[in-house]
Amino acid sequence: MQFEVFTLLPEVFPPYLESSILKRAAQRGLIGVRVHNIRDYTHDKHHTTDDTPYGGGGGMVMKPEPVFEAVESVLGLATPLSPPEPDSKIPIILLTPQGRVFNQRIAEELAGYERIALLCGRYEGVDERVREHLVTDEISIGDYVLTGGELPALILIDAVARLIPGVLGDPTGAEDDSHSMGLLEYPHYTKPAEFRGWKVPEILLSGDHARIEKWRREQALARTFHKRPDMLENAELSEKDKDFIEGLRSKVEGQDI
Ligand code: SAH
């Protein structure tokens, strides 16, 4: 899977991408991240990428010309006058606090593409014509505002990359993760079996896989019930799961009385 990143700060990407799992994924050819400096697509002496906003007010706005030229030339889109076809196979995603809020479903959806373009804003953001006529999707990583789209782009790359088969060492690695099944994941423990007097739950040492699986499922249901009850509405639940949750609910209601 190929990510094409467009940014004014290309230098912030390598330190993260060249570490750990993403580095290995790139070395094995499972992902490729190409970072393009929007400034390289300016033609004036000062390589201007931003300018003051029409209508006044503070801040600077990223100019449309270098952004269009960078994306069009890298993606091999037609002439500057014809916008990308709406059914273009390459999503051109603007990172913006005004986009749809990123989550595991969106990560799964994006993992289905072979190539994705990510456009990082800076300052007050990009000229509105970029949003209207160049990008095909807008994604926010949450309801807060950052100084630029670079961290959001890295977050998106990281979340999407780990869904690509082979990127995680364990082939089932991502299946149980929080949010992938609509539940928070069960708790994990590793050695030692006792640390400062705190013991690992006995059942995990039992070797009884069926009981461990049942315990993990119930832990996942219970944590989701207590921490993120909103998620239960969309989770895939068996009849057994529902009974378990009913049990939790009546316990909580019992306590309220
Ligand atoms: N004035 C803009 C915010 C600009 S923040 C507004 O109010 O909508 C500067 C850049 O940071 C944005 O162009 C965007 O690329 C990035 N950014 C900031 N917060 C973000 C978020 N929550 N999700 C994704 N990108 C974000």
Side-chain angles (χ1 to χ4, degrees):
M1 174 154 193
Q2 182 68 34
F3 296 91
E4 308 285 355
V5 181
F6 299 88
T7 173
L8 289 173
L9 287 182
E11 66 274 18
V12 306
F13 287 87
Y16 190 76
L17 295 171
E18 289 169 13
S19 318
S20 188
I21 292 179
L22 295 187
K23 177 187 182 182
R24 218 174 48 222
Q27 284 169 342
R28 292 161 61 206
L30 298 169
I31 64 165
V33 185
R34 294 204 294 165
V35 182
H36 310 279
N37 191 343
I38 295 168
R39 198 171 297 281
D40 293 343
Y41 296 85
T42 53
H43 300 288
D44 62 313
K45 201 168 74 193
H46 301 292
H47 301 287
T48 315
T49 56
D50 58 298
D51 211 329
T52 53
Y54 276 118
M60 298 297 269
V61 177
M62 282 171 68
K63 290 166 67 60
E65 309 95 306
V67 174
F68 269 83
E69 191 176 321
V71 174
E72 284 168 345
S73 69
V74 167
L75 300 189
L77 301 175
T79 67
L81 284 177
S82 58
E85 277 130 51
D87 65 348
S88 156
K89 287 283 180 288
I90 309 169
I92 303 172
I93 301 170
L94 174 65
L95 282 316
T96 162
Q98 302 185 20
R100 54 186 180 135
V101 181
F102 193 56
N103 60 25
Q104 194 66 16
R105 294 289 90 72
I106 298 178
E108 284 162 7
E109 171 196 323
L110 297 178
Y113 287 96
E114 272 167 29
R115 205 168 170 213
I116 288 181
L118 299 170
L119 176 54
C120 308
R122 277 267 143 190
Y123 323 116
E124 287 305 320
V126 295
D127 183 286
E128 186 65 5
R129 288 162 289 188
V130 170
R131 195 189 64 76
E132 287 175 334
H133 304 296
L134 184 67
V135 306
T136 62
D137 197 357
E138 296 168 55
I139 290 180
S140 163
I141 58 153
D143 290 344
Y144 41 83
V145 180
L146 302 167
T147 55
E150 289 75 18
L151 286 173
L154 281 170
I155 285 172
L156 188 150
I157 292 169
D158 191 297
V160 172
R162 72 194 288 292
L163 294 175
I164 295 168
V167 167
L168 295 182
D170 172 3
T172 60
E175 276 168 28
D176 281 343
D177 280 334
S178 299
H179 302 288
S180 70
M181 310 270 287
L183 295 175
L184 302 179
E185 199 183 24
Y186 53 80
H188 298 281
Y189 294 88
T190 186
K191 295 175 191 73
E194 184 171 339
F195 168 66
R196 295 190 178 174
W198 301 308
K199 289 186 176 149
V200 171
E202 205 60 48
I203 192 163
L204 295 177
L205 312 175
S206 71
D208 183 339
H209 293 295
R211 278 182 61 220
I212 290 172
E213 207 168 298
K214 178 167 179 281
W215 180 86
R216 285 182 165 167
R217 183 74 186 174
E218 290 177 356
Q219 290 288 317
L221 291 166
R223 333 197 111 188
T224 313
F225 176 79
H226 291 297
K227 294 183 172 183
R228 290 291 306 275
D230 56 298
M231 286 171 60
L232 288 176
E233 281 165 36
N234 300 316
E236 293 163 38
L237 301 177
S238 69
E239 285 310 309
K240 249 196 212 155
D241 293 339
K242 287 181 194 158
D243 288 347
F244 182 76
I245 288 165
E246 268 324 298
L248 293 174
R249 195 162 281 142
S250 49
K251 241 191 243 165
V252 170
E253 280 160 13
Q255 282 168 3
D256 285 345
I257 294 166

